[in-house]
Amino acid sequence: MKKIHNLNEYATAEHALMYLSRADSIPHRTEGEAVLLEFIPQKVRRILDLGSGDGRLLALLKIDRQEAEGIALDFSPTMIKAASERFSNDTKVQVVDHDMDNPLPDLGQFDVIVSSFAIHHCTDERKRQLYSEVFDALLPGGVFCNLEHVKSPTNELHRRFICSLGLSEGEEDPSNKLLDVETQLQWLRDLGFQNVDCYWKWLELALIGGSKSKQKKQA
């Protein structure tokens, strides 16, 4: 069977619900989320969550940043419904229907842009374009953190990761388009991000990101 290069099954309710049912059991996920939270300033005005799913990450960020405005962006009807229900009592959060395979809509600028296990569903070309759009959408001094599913450097490590999820290789998500960490870090550096690094990693789970420099004061 010919592989569909840009397949993304999260548009289907069945696939989205399957993911939500096991999201909390992903090994070491909470460790990565905790490190991400450490990189986000307490006082921020606007947060954009790319591929927000049911809003899990944005909700974590909002615990200590209740006055911040948030935008949860996703394209899956199931995820949009779940996020809308999660934030139904928070007037400062807007849920936006958008497919990240397309250029980001004009949503203004943000102090913080985050993503959690979503960008790896884009093609490599689109990943790089998206990082450029993220850079443009950040305010000076803004922070970008992407908790991501990345490519293992060896087949043995990949098999170890798959086994840790309780899956066989034939059960892998066909929507995955995995890319190694270093390539993505270099893209961020090339785009102008500062403090670029892999802040946390466990097998194929990695937190990568950087910040946008503050504008120099005019003389």
Side-chain angles (χ1 to χ4, degrees), residues 115-127:
S115 187
S116 178
F117 306 125
I119 294 176
H120 69 279
H121 296 134
C122 298
T123 64
D124 292 350
E125 179 181 5
R126 177 59 191 143
K127 288 184 184 76

Side-chain angles (χ1 to χ4, degrees), residues 4 12 15 17 25 28 35 38 40 58 69 77 80 84-85 128 143 154 173 179 188 204-205 207:
I4 301 175
T12 68
H15 198 79
L17 289 169
S25 64
H28 301 281
V35 176
E38 292 176 2
I40 308 303
L58 184 56
E69 295 180 7
I80 290 170
S84 296
E85 292 174 351
R128 195 183 190 289
V143 176
T154 69
D173 189 339
L179 185 64
L188 295 179
E204 293 188 3
L205 307 185
L207 175 62

Side-chain angles (χ1 to χ4, degrees), residues 22-68:
R22 59 183 176 83
D24 289 338
S25 64
I26 296 175
H28 301 281
R29 176 176 188 163
T30 54
E31 294 175 17
E33 291 170 336
V35 176
L36 184 152
L37 291 174
E38 292 176 2
F39 277 88
I40 308 303
Q42 290 292 315
K43 293 183 179 180
V44 296
R45 290 170 295 175
R46 302 190 77 219
I47 302 171
L48 173 61
D49 185 1
L50 299 173
S52 59
D54 66 348
R56 173 193 174 106
L57 180 57
L58 184 56
L60 288 173
L61 288 164
K62 288 277 290 180
I63 290 173
D64 292 328
R65 302 163 185 83
Q66 296 182 13
E67 296 306 311

Side-chain angles (χ1 to χ4, degrees), residues 9-179:
E9 293 193 350
Y10 285 84
T12 68
E14 180 182 7
H15 198 79
L17 289 169
M18 180 182 68
Y19 172 78
L20 290 176
S21 70
R22 59 183 176 83
D24 289 338
S25 64
I26 296 175
H28 301 281
R29 176 176 188 163
T30 54
E31 294 175 17
E33 291 170 336
V35 176
L36 184 152
L37 291 174
E38 292 176 2
F39 277 88
I40 308 303
Q42 290 292 315
K43 293 183 179 180
V44 296
R45 290 170 295 175
R46 302 190 77 219
I47 302 171
L48 173 61
D49 185 1
L50 299 173
S52 59
D54 66 348
R56 173 193 174 106
L57 180 57
L58 184 56
L60 288 173
L61 288 164
K62 288 277 290 180
I63 290 173
D64 292 328
R65 302 163 185 83
Q66 296 182 13
E67 296 306 311
E69 295 180 7
I71 292 183
L73 185 149
D74 208 287
F75 84 115
S76 161
T78 302
M79 298 296 193
I80 290 170
K81 179 181 178 182
S84 296
E85 292 174 351
R86 182 190 288 271
F87 297 114
S88 60
N89 294 322
D90 190 340
T91 59
K92 291 184 176 292
V93 172
Q94 177 184 3
V95 179
V96 175
D97 183 352
H98 180 76
D99 188 339
M100 288 196 299
D101 284 339
N102 301 316
L104 292 179
D106 184 4
L107 300 169
Q109 290 192 293
F110 299 85
D111 307 282
V112 173
I113 298 179
V114 296
S115 187
S116 178
F117 306 125
I119 294 176
H120 69 279
H121 296 134
C122 298
T123 64
D124 292 350
E125 179 181 5
R126 177 59 191 143
K127 288 184 184 76
R128 195 183 190 289
Q129 293 171 342
L130 182 58
Y131 288 156
S132 178
E133 293 165 15
V134 166
F135 185 82
D136 291 341
L138 278 175
L139 288 162
V143 176
F144 172 53
C145 282
N146 179 20
L147 184 58
E148 186 62 296
H149 185 180
V150 299
K151 185 177 181 180
S152 282
T154 69
N155 289 332
E156 182 177 348
L157 287 173
H158 175 62
R159 287 192 293 270
R160 180 173 179 174
F161 177 75
I162 292 300
C163 288
S164 75
L165 299 181
L167 303 174
S168 66
E169 292 189 45
E171 295 176 307
E172 294 179 58
D173 189 339
S175 303
N176 289 346
K177 304 170 186 68
L178 306 183
L179 185 64

